[in-house]
Amino acid sequence: MATDLAAALDVALQAALVVASGLTLFAGYRVIRGPTTPDRVVALDTIGTNVVAIAALYSMATAQGFFIDVSLVLAIIGFISTIAVARYVTEGDIIE
Amino acid sequence: MSDDAPANEDVAAAESPRPSDVDRSTTVVARTVVRVVVPIILVTAISLLLQGHNLPGGGFIGGVLTATAFVLVYVIFGLDYLQATILDRRDEVDEGMVSVYRRLFALGLALAAGSGLAPLLFDLPFLTQAVLFVEHLPLYGELEVASALAFDLGVYFTVVGALLTIIAEVGAE
């Protein structure tokens, strides 16, 4: 039973990695073709979140805790970049 | 930076009918989220700094994360907020915090340059490594302090001082 659960978790992790990678590719298409700047910004933010998810999933798949640090730092920097870009788009000036 | 609405009068800006005044101030959601997130970022930065000698992390990424926490405060609360609350000075516009950052930069360079002297405190030769185990800490358990932490602290202060000097100078323009 435990081996079944471990095998199922492994399959689920691999599938989630594939899905997250594919979504990153689609978001990359939106970054390149996006008609407006907010489209590109949202797509870049999605790519950042997907990379965080890929790092966390890879950390679970390989049972190494190092990649959790990667996802933490990436999530923090993605949050800040989203806020800065949103402020730049709405006001044209980031720090006042 | 062209109109005259102050950044931190959000009550007056919220009651004003003119959209230009409303646009200058950040929303309550952003302010509240930043108040919650900035201490978490600082704790993450310090933990990355302390684990840096044998795990991923170190002075540089800790400094970058600390600088991003300050950048978040700058973006949401404006350039005058930090020196009005930390330094309690409102008159000098852009000299207050920048001089603090420059001193931090110089302190970090001095620490990194003098970090080879740290093993002398443990009766070891110059430029070697000493390890100190601090045990029975509250909430943390055991902490392993290597003398490379002195160099990491120097890098940390240098990165924080340099990045925040650049950001405060560029943001003030």
Side-chain angles (χ1 to χ4, degrees):
Chain A
M1 188 61 196
T3 56
D4 283 350
L5 267 181
L9 180 65
D10 201 36
V11 170
L13 284 177
Q14 299 292 330
L17 274 172
V18 170
V19 168
S21 310
L23 277 178
T24 309
L25 285 181
F26 285 125
Y29 173 77
R30 182 52 66 200
V31 171
I32 295 168
R33 286 295 301 273
T36 63
T37 307
D39 283 336
R40 293 194 170 95
V41 171
V42 171
L44 278 175
D45 192 38
T46 311
I47 287 178
T49 313
N50 271 322
V51 174
V52 171
I54 288 170
L57 286 170
Y58 191 74
S59 162
M60 286 177 71
T62 60
Q64 283 182 336
F66 301 149
F67 291 95
I68 294 294
D69 290 339
V70 176
S71 58
L72 254 180
V73 173
L74 264 179
I76 289 170
I77 291 178
F79 173 69
I80 287 166
S81 69
T82 307
I83 283 186
V85 170
R87 208 157 157 76
Y88 176 73
V89 168
T90 55
E91 298 193 16
D93 193 9
I94 297 175
I95 301 175
E96 64 181 26
Chain B
M1 303 289 282
S2 62
D3 73 11
D4 49 357
N8 45 10
E9 288 187 3
D10 51 347
V11 178
E15 289 174 357
S16 172
R18 290 193 300 159
S20 64
D21 284 344
V22 176
D23 283 343
R24 301 307 299 173
S25 69
T26 52
T27 60
V28 178
V29 177
R31 285 165 183 263
T32 312
V33 167
V34 165
R35 273 178 211 277
V36 175
V37 161
V38 164
I40 299 175
I41 296 177
L42 290 178
V43 167
T44 311
I46 290 172
S47 81
L48 281 178
L49 170 68
L50 286 182
Q51 77 180 10
H53 55 278
N54 57 1
L55 281 174
F60 187 80
I61 187 63
V64 169
L65 276 187
T66 310
T68 55
F70 278 85
V71 167
L72 206 52
V73 175
Y74 273 153
V75 170
I76 297 298
F77 290 100
L79 267 182
D80 302 331
Y81 179 79
L82 268 185
Q83 68 183 13
T85 53
I86 293 179
L87 295 183
D88 201 14
R89 276 188 297 195
R90 293 172 189 275
D91 44 353
E92 306 165 33
V93 175
D94 53 0
E95 276 305 310
M97 286 308 274
V98 173
S99 64
V100 174
Y101 299 151
R102 285 189 180 137
R103 280 193 202 120
L104 211 60
F105 183 64
L107 170 74
L109 280 182
L111 256 178
S115 66
L117 298 174
L120 296 182
L121 297 175
F122 301 98
D123 291 333
L124 284 171
F126 179 62
L127 282 179
T128 53
Q129 286 297 317
V131 180
L132 182 67
F133 289 99
V134 184
E135 290 181 350
H136 304 297
L137 285 176
L139 290 178
Y140 203 88
E142 187 190 59
L143 183 62
E144 179 185 356
V145 179
S147 64
L149 184 67
F151 185 74
D152 267 343
L153 267 179
V155 174
Y156 177 83
F157 285 132
T158 307
V159 170
V160 169
L163 282 181
L164 287 180
T165 304
I166 292 169
I167 286 163
E169 291 282 0
V170 170
E173 282 180 0

